[in-house]
Amino acid sequence: MTDALDSLVLTLDSLLTSLKAAIPAGDQWRSVEACAKQIADGLRTKNGPAKPELSITKVDNHSQLGKSTLPETLNGLLRVATRREDDGAGYGKPTSPASAAATYELLRVGANLCMDHDGNRQRLLEVGYTESVLSILEAYWRDVSNSSETEASASTATLNDLKLVKTAVGVLLNASMGYEPVRISLVTAGAPLTILSLSCRLYSPGAWASATSDDALEQWGWRSGLSTWSWRALDTLKGGDEDDPHEEGTAERSSRQHSIFDAAATSSLIGSLRSFVPPHSPAVASSAFSKADRQKLVISDVEVLEETSMLLESLTLDSVDVRRKIAAGSISSPTPTAQNPFPPPPLLTSLLDFIEKGAPPTYWDSCTDSEAERKRWNKSFGICKAAVIKAVVELAGEDKNMDVLWDSQVGSYPGGPFVERMVGWIKNTKVEGGEEAGNEQDKGRDDLIICAALSLGNLARRPSYCIALLAPPISLTQHFMPLLNAKTDIKLKHGCIGLLKHVAQPPPNKVILGDAGLVEALVASRIWTKESDMGEPVQFGAVGVVKHLSYEYLPNALRLVKSQSSLEGDSALDLILDLVRRSDSIGLQSEGTRVLVNVVKCLFSSTSKRPNGAEPAVNSSAGSSTELSIRTTDLTSSRERQQAIDRLATLDSVELLTDMVGRSGRYPILLNEGVVALTLLSSASAGRTCALQALLSPLPYALTQSGAIQTAPPVGHTQISTVPAAQHLDDKTVPSTARTSSPLDMLVAILRNLNNSFPPELGANVCIFLASLTPPMTDANQEEFSKVRVATKGALESVAAGLSGRSFADGPPKVVQAAAKRTLDVWASFPHGKGVNAIGNATQMRK
């Protein structure tokens, strides 16, 4: 340490002693200021001058001063300067202009002392210096938090205040950068929220554009610097690897920052977004700034916009408390009070206003000569708006927000103000037949429809809500069809289809949407054609829509099978099944095949004409194997229905069903649906022929390689199953026999049920399916049937004899045992012919 710095430290020690002993005077604080300034300036360089007489080439000032009494003296002086006179114990802002000036220099000393020096960081932490600095920031936050947002940005903070606050943030930034003990201490003490709140209040984006004071340039230079340092400090406090090359963007930083914040941060974040909603921004920026200065301030505005929107998105995605706080109070306007005559709008209202009305201020264009920079700013604004849309969609999906956002008690509009605003966004965007979907006016408002559709889709998880969306006065049905036009942007289709997947489920809505031409609109959208395969999630969603539409409602099932003139004779179902065949996604394959299952069940069911009928479908949760066997013979004489059955009783359709059976060993629901549909189709001669051929065919190579465990189970399975969801298998309980090379092997595995992995209803339905395959004496498929019988008769006999299942003591369930006996009885009556002698003898032995 140089002699000069050593002397200055001793001077500060002496001043601290005198200040503690008497009432601080202005002259003493000015002496502290001058002494501290010299030390701070000396610490701006890493090493002091060499001392040849002492054989010292360089002097490490930072280390030497850190080992001296300087850290304790700095903390002591800060506490004297900020000691509140009312109680003598608490600490706040500096008590006088002279002490404020001295405090500013004392903060500079601390910031420079710990720069890139872990030893000094630890010393400042140990003596309580970082705690004192945080107390100063908290005191300033208490002051500005009692004023309105506009007052805090414009007048309550003086230039000296801004200098002091920015430097205090710089101290915490330097002290915590790469040093965990300080970082953890500050996070535990609540520093992140204090820094965020103070920064957002003292730097309101765009407020500088209205500044006209003489010191506007200097004021907003300090405010901008404070904002930049604050976000750097928050980035440091969130932890993680500072040099991680995979975390270069704002979104990545925000995803880690969320852990240092809670719901209290939302007010400050959303307050910054309000700055970008007209009419807060003037049309022309203040003449107090040069173009270069305006450019720098716009860059700061964009940085705040990016940081706040991305952090808000990550907080909303990860925190239930954040989602609840934003939704609390919904969008009703607050009541002004004497203390707060101009209260800010509710948080959710502010987000919706930003999405609907927010735009880059008009003066941005005049703040730079670079067209590339203008485009960059506008692009960033669009990305930030997309982040806010994601936040709104996510909070609409929060279970605890359903009764808040769908508030039937508010006013006369169903669902309340939030629903009304979302519906308005969908209705008021003009996309007439999709012909104008690509023009600038409509394209610019696609974001509103996407946000509204996805939000309503997340919210409409109760049948009553779904019904209300299609019933008057909302009546959204007519507004869906234009959005599905082939020329509509894929993201817009995704939002619309996401909502339709929910509203298509209640029985009354199946009628409304079917009669409105939804099936035809989906076909016309070309979403299932090869040219749309890049949008597989949207294809998957559209398949889910028609799956719900065709469940237990015959008219919609017939619409799916009916030839479309626009498809040159093909049907909507043909498009879906073609998609299933060319897709590599097991989820999409299964979901598309389930549409075929629903259509088949409708065609063979006598109750599917009425979607609100009380009777369940063939394999509903109340269904039984006996009920199934009865309904397979209950065919209507309707010509249209029969034509549809004939169209589906083909090898192409049946192979899709057997493929689903062969690959779905982990998912009893899919197995049961496939077996039921195969049983129904096998009641027709053509269907039985196709089923026998398909059962004996090996599964496609892509399926047998990974068998039943290639993907997660498809969504939406709970609607139409006889097998309880709790029966689903996990990886640990999947029997090895469930990974089969052919559909017939899967049927045998189900009958043997070695680990009790399959429910009784499934085993009983397999028995009924096998019985339905019995051909008449003159049938040309006797050889195929014989092979099926040889492959399965051993398992059937074991079940019938009570020897199947994991526990031989208990034996198989009675319903399976009875069904196995009935199947063997049917086979026993089968005439002995070519290729069946062995089977006949085996059946005789059983008797």
Side-chain angles (χ1 to χ4, degrees):
M1 180 167 59
T2 64
D3 293 338
L5 290 178
D6 186 23
S7 176
L8 290 170
V9 171
L10 292 175
T11 302
L12 281 182
D13 290 343
S14 176
L15 287 169
L16 174 60
T17 301
S18 62
L19 286 168
K20 286 182 175 180
I23 298 176
D27 289 342
Q28 291 173 306
W29 285 122
R30 280 187 284 275
S31 297
V32 171
E33 177 187 2
C35 186
K37 184 178 188 306
Q38 293 182 63
I39 297 176
D41 290 344
L43 289 172
R44 293 175 69 179
T45 57
K46 191 69 175 176
N47 300 308
K51 294 183 177 182
E53 69 278 8
L54 299 177
S55 299
I56 299 176
T57 56
K58 290 184 178 180
V59 177
D60 185 353
N61 288 332
H62 290 73
S63 295
Q64 294 297 324
L65 288 175
K67 295 174 182 177
S68 72
T69 59
L70 181 60
E72 289 89 346
T73 302
L74 289 174
N75 186 53
L77 288 169
L78 280 184
R79 289 183 175 250
V80 174
T82 60
R83 182 172 56 210
R84 296 202 299 262
E85 298 296 336
D86 52 357
D87 56 19
Y91 301 95
K93 296 167 58 177
T95 55
S96 67
S99 65
T103 299
Y104 170 68
E105 296 299 339
L106 293 170
L107 292 171
R108 287 187 63 226
V109 174
N112 292 343
L113 185 64
C114 66
M115 181 175 58
D116 299 327
H117 201 294
D118 287 351
N120 288 351
R121 288 165 176 156
Q122 183 62 32
R123 284 277 286 139
L124 293 176
L125 175 63
E126 290 173 349
V127 302
Y129 179 80
T130 54
E131 179 184 349
S132 298
V133 173
L134 180 58
S135 296
I136 293 174
L137 291 176
E138 290 172 342
Y140 274 99
W141 168 240
R142 285 193 296 270
D143 272 8
V144 300
S145 63
N146 293 325
S147 60
S148 70
E149 295 175 17
T150 303
E151 289 173 343
S153 293
S155 61
T156 61
T158 66
L159 182 59
N160 288 332
D161 289 334
L162 294 172
K163 290 181 178 180
L164 197 149
V165 171
K166 178 188 174 184
T167 308
V169 171
V171 172
L172 300 185
L173 169 60
N174 282 358
S176 60
M177 186 175 293
Y179 193 64
E180 278 296 286
V182 174
R183 188 192 74 82
I184 294 173
S185 173
L186 291 176
V187 171
T188 303
L193 181 60
T194 300
I195 295 173
L196 173 70
S197 303
L198 197 53
S199 173
C200 289
R201 188 60 68 92
L202 292 178
Y203 186 83
S204 180
W208 58 268
S210 304
T212 57
S213 62
D214 294 338
D215 64 347
L217 178 59
E218 189 175 8
Q219 273 253 3
W220 283 98
W222 280 96
R223 289 178 187 268
S224 174
L226 165 62
S227 176
T228 299
W229 282 16
S230 294
W231 286 111
R232 287 183 61 192
L234 294 174
D235 191 38
T236 298
L237 291 174
K238 55 79 168 95
D241 187 358
E242 300 293 332
D243 299 321
D244 188 346
H246 300 292
E247 296 188 344
E248 299 175 349
T250 301
E252 289 80 1
R253 295 196 301 273
S254 297
S255 67
R256 291 182 290 144
Q257 283 174 342
H258 77 270
S259 60
I260 62 175
F261 292 111
D262 57 19
T266 55
S267 297
S268 296
L269 294 172
I270 295 175
S272 293
L273 294 179
R274 294 190 186 107
S275 303
F276 296 94
V277 179
H280 296 308
S281 299
V284 180
S286 172
S287 58
F289 307 95
S290 66
K291 176 173 286 189
D293 293 327
R294 293 198 301 269
Q295 181 181 20
K296 293 177 182 177
L297 289 168
V298 171
I299 291 173
S300 294
D301 288 352
V302 173
E303 179 187 31
V304 171
L305 175 63
E306 291 175 342
E307 296 284 0
T308 54
S309 59
M310 298 304 172
L311 179 53
L312 181 66
E313 177 193 359
S314 65
L315 281 170
T316 308
L317 290 172
D318 297 325
S319 172
V320 174
D321 291 338
V322 169
R323 294 193 289 270
R324 295 189 67 186
K325 180 178 173 105
I326 295 176
S330 190
I331 58 176
S332 301
S333 299
T335 303
T337 63
Q339 294 77 17
N340 192 7
F342 303 103
L347 299 179
L348 181 55
T349 297
S350 297
L351 292 184
L352 299 183
D353 287 344
F354 175 76
I355 294 171
E356 181 177 2
K357 305 172 185 176
T362 54
Y363 58 78
W364 277 14
D365 287 345
S366 64
C367 294
T368 180
D369 294 326
S370 171
E371 183 62 27
E373 191 163 37
R374 292 191 190 98
K375 291 181 179 179
R376 214 166 34 243
W377 292 344
N378 290 329
K379 180 180 179 180
S380 179
F381 199 99
I383 293 173
C384 293
K385 184 173 285 192
V388 176
I389 289 175
K390 290 179 183 178
V392 171
V393 171
E394 189 66 23
L395 66 90
E398 170 58 46
D399 292 340
K400 296 178 180 179
N401 285 343
M402 289 187 69
D403 293 328
V404 175
L405 298 180
W406 190 288
D407 189 356
S408 301
Q409 304 302 317
V410 179
S412 58
Y413 198 89
F418 176 75
V419 174
E420 183 175 14
R421 190 162 186 178
M422 294 297 98
V423 169
W425 284 0
I426 293 177
K427 288 186 174 182
N428 296 332
T429 301
K430 300 178 181 179
V431 187
E432 298 178 2
E435 294 299 325
E436 298 177 305
N439 67 36
E440 288 301 317
Q441 180 180 359
D442 288 321
K443 185 177 181 181
R445 298 321 316 171
D446 282 1
D447 59 335
L448 294 184
I449 300 181
I450 292 170
C451 179
L454 292 176
S455 297
L456 289 176
N458 276 350
L459 195 59
R461 286 172 287 152
R462 294 176 181 170
S464 59
Y465 296 175
C466 296
I467 293 172
L469 289 175
L470 299 192
I474 297 181
S475 305
L476 277 181
T477 306
Q478 60 180 323
H479 300 278
F480 286 134
M481 308 309 165
L483 303 179
L484 297 175
N485 186 276
K487 296 182 179 180
T488 303
D489 184 80
I490 190 69
K491 291 180 290 187
L492 188 56
K493 288 179 182 176
H494 173 64
C496 180
I497 288 172
L499 175 55
L500 283 169
K501 279 190 68 174
H502 290 274
V503 300
Q505 296 184 42
N509 288 3
K510 300 177 192 292
V511 181
I512 296 173
L513 293 172
D515 292 347
L518 179 57
V519 172
E520 293 77 7
L522 287 170
V523 170
S525 74
R526 305 188 65 80
I527 194 61
W528 295 314
T529 60
K530 192 172 184 179
E531 65 196 59
S532 299
D533 283 355
M534 293 298 292
E536 184 177 288
V538 186
Q539 292 178 323
F540 186 92
V543 169
V545 172
V546 295
K547 183 189 74 174
H548 294 310
L549 286 178
S550 60
Y551 174 59
E552 290 190 333
Y553 187 46
L554 179 61
N556 284 343
L558 291 174
R559 289 184 177 102
L560 285 170
V561 183
K562 183 179 180 180
S563 298
Q564 301 285 330
S565 57
S566 60
L567 300 177
E568 299 180 354
D570 287 340
S571 66
L573 187 59
D574 290 331
L575 287 180
I576 295 172
L577 299 186
D578 285 344
L579 173 62
V580 168
R581 294 184 187 97
R582 68 175 182 268
S583 175
D584 294 328
S585 166
I586 296 295
L588 181 54
Q589 291 173 7
S590 297
E591 194 77 348
T593 307
R594 296 180 82 185
V595 176
L596 174 61
V597 170
N598 282 357
V599 171
V600 169
K601 290 193 300 181
C602 276
L603 295 177
F604 283 86
S605 174
S606 60
T607 63
S608 59
K609 292 181 180 180
R610 296 179 293 111
N612 56 346
E615 293 187 53
V618 172
N619 72 333
S620 68
S621 58
S624 66
S625 56
T626 304
E627 179 184 27
L628 173 61
S629 63
I630 294 174
R631 288 184 178 175
T632 55
T633 60
D634 185 22
L635 302 180
T636 179
S637 58
S638 168
R639 177 183 303 176
E640 191 174 12
R641 187 191 294 234
Q642 188 57 52
Q643 288 175 346
I645 293 174
D646 293 342
R647 187 164 185 165
L648 295 183
T650 64
L651 185 59
D652 286 344
S653 297
V654 172
E655 280 184 338
L656 291 178
L657 294 171
T658 56
D659 286 350
M660 184 173 76
V661 170
R663 67 172 177 257
S664 302
R666 289 181 63 192
Y667 314 119
I669 288 176
L670 297 184
L671 291 172
N672 199 59
E673 289 185 348
V675 169
V676 168
L678 286 169
T679 305
L680 294 171
L681 285 177
S682 297
S683 64
S685 176
R688 180 173 60 252
T689 298
C690 295
L692 287 168
Q693 294 179 21
L695 284 176
L696 296 171
S697 300
L699 290 174
Y701 176 78
L703 300 178
T704 56
Q705 280 296 97
S706 54
I709 59 172
Q710 182 164 309
T711 62
V715 296
H717 52 68
T718 57
Q719 293 258 340
I720 51 176
S721 169
T722 61
V723 184
Q727 300 276 0
H728 274 203
L729 308 178
D730 57 30
D731 291 334
K732 296 180 181 179
T733 60
V734 178
S736 60
T737 50
R739 300 166 187 148
T740 62
S741 59
S742 73
L744 191 57
D745 292 339
M746 180 61 72
L747 299 183
V748 174
I750 294 170
L751 291 173
R752 295 192 182 280
N753 202 11
L754 295 180
N755 293 320
N756 281 351
S757 302
F758 305 111
E761 293 87 347
L762 177 57
N765 282 341
V766 169
C767 294
I768 296 172
F769 171 49
L770 292 174
S772 72
L773 295 176
T774 308
M777 182 176 178
T778 58
D779 197 287
N781 299 107
Q782 292 183 13
E783 184 175 352
E784 287 82 357
F785 170 68
S786 298
K787 293 178 181 178
V788 170
R789 192 158 71 165
V790 166
T792 58
K793 60 102 175 180
L796 281 170
E797 288 177 342
S798 295
V799 173
L803 299 177
S804 184
R806 179 172 52 193
S807 175
F808 289 171
D810 297 336
K814 292 183 179 180
V815 63
V816 185
Q817 190 174 10
K821 289 180 178 179
R822 285 198 300 270
T823 299
L824 291 171
D825 289 341
V826 171
W827 285 0
S829 63
F830 182 74
H832 292 268
K834 182 180 180 181
V836 301
N837 289 334
I839 298 174
N841 293 335
T843 305
Q844 228 171 8
M845 287 174 60
R846 175 190 152 276
K847 292 182 179 179

